[in-house]
Amino acid sequence: MTKLTFVAFDGTRFDVEAENGSTVMENAIKAGVPGIEAECGGACACATCHVYVDEEWSPAVGEPQAMEEDMLDFAYDVRPTSRLSCQIRVSDALDGLTVHIPERQG
Ligand code: FES
């Protein structure tokens, strides 16, 4: 199991034990983290699972693929550490990952 931390826009922290191979988005939905809508169910087709990867974790998480980058154009308040959480797969390398939830989606 890999530990993930979601920080909601109001500062509330959600610590989650995530299974390797699942996506960060799936774990946010399961834990009821407010602000993650994931309307397309993880198909990289809605941009409502937008998160900001904690700066410290950005190198480990890596850059978005071209398709994700195109979808990010539809997200609200995109920043250099923006990612679509359905496109981040949980692995041991991400143990302790922290992501921040934007003020709103879309
Ligand atoms: Fe739709 Fe991530 S859930 S793009």
Side-chain angles (χ1 to χ4, degrees), residues 39-62:
E39 282 167 9
C40 77
C44 196
C46 73
T48 63
C49 63
H50 176 208
V51 296
Y52 303 118
V53 173
D54 198 88
E55 285 196 6
E56 187 187 328
W57 281 96
S58 214
V61 171

Side-chain angles (χ1 to χ4, degrees), residues 4-41:
L4 306 179
T5 299
F6 296 93
V7 183
F9 187 69
D10 69 0
T12 308
R13 297 173 74 88
F14 295 79
D15 292 323
V16 171
E17 293 288 335
E19 272 187 50
N20 287 347
S22 63
T23 67
V24 170
M25 174 280 276
E26 288 165 345
N27 288 283
I29 296 292
K30 215 191 289 177
V33 176
I36 296 289
E37 295 166 14
E39 282 167 9
C40 77

Side-chain angles (χ1 to χ4, degrees), residues 38-49 67-68 71 74 84 86-87:
E39 282 167 9
C40 77
C44 196
C46 73
T48 63
C49 63
M67 188 176 153
E68 179 184 344
M71 249 0 267
F74 297 96
L84 296 180
C86 70
Q87 302 301 304

Side-chain angles (χ1 to χ4, degrees), residues 54-102:
D54 198 88
E55 285 196 6
E56 187 187 328
W57 281 96
S58 214
V61 171
E63 299 286 318
Q65 303 283 312
M67 188 176 153
E68 179 184 344
E69 211 160 286
D70 288 349
M71 249 0 267
L72 272 169
D73 288 345
F74 297 96
Y76 171 76
D77 192 15
V78 175
R79 300 177 191 171
T81 59
S82 288
R83 290 292 311 264
L84 296 180
S85 57
C86 70
Q87 302 301 304
I88 306 172
R89 214 157 270 285
V90 175
S91 68
D92 287 340
L94 298 186
D95 190 31
L97 172 67
T98 299
V99 300
H100 302 264
I101 311 301

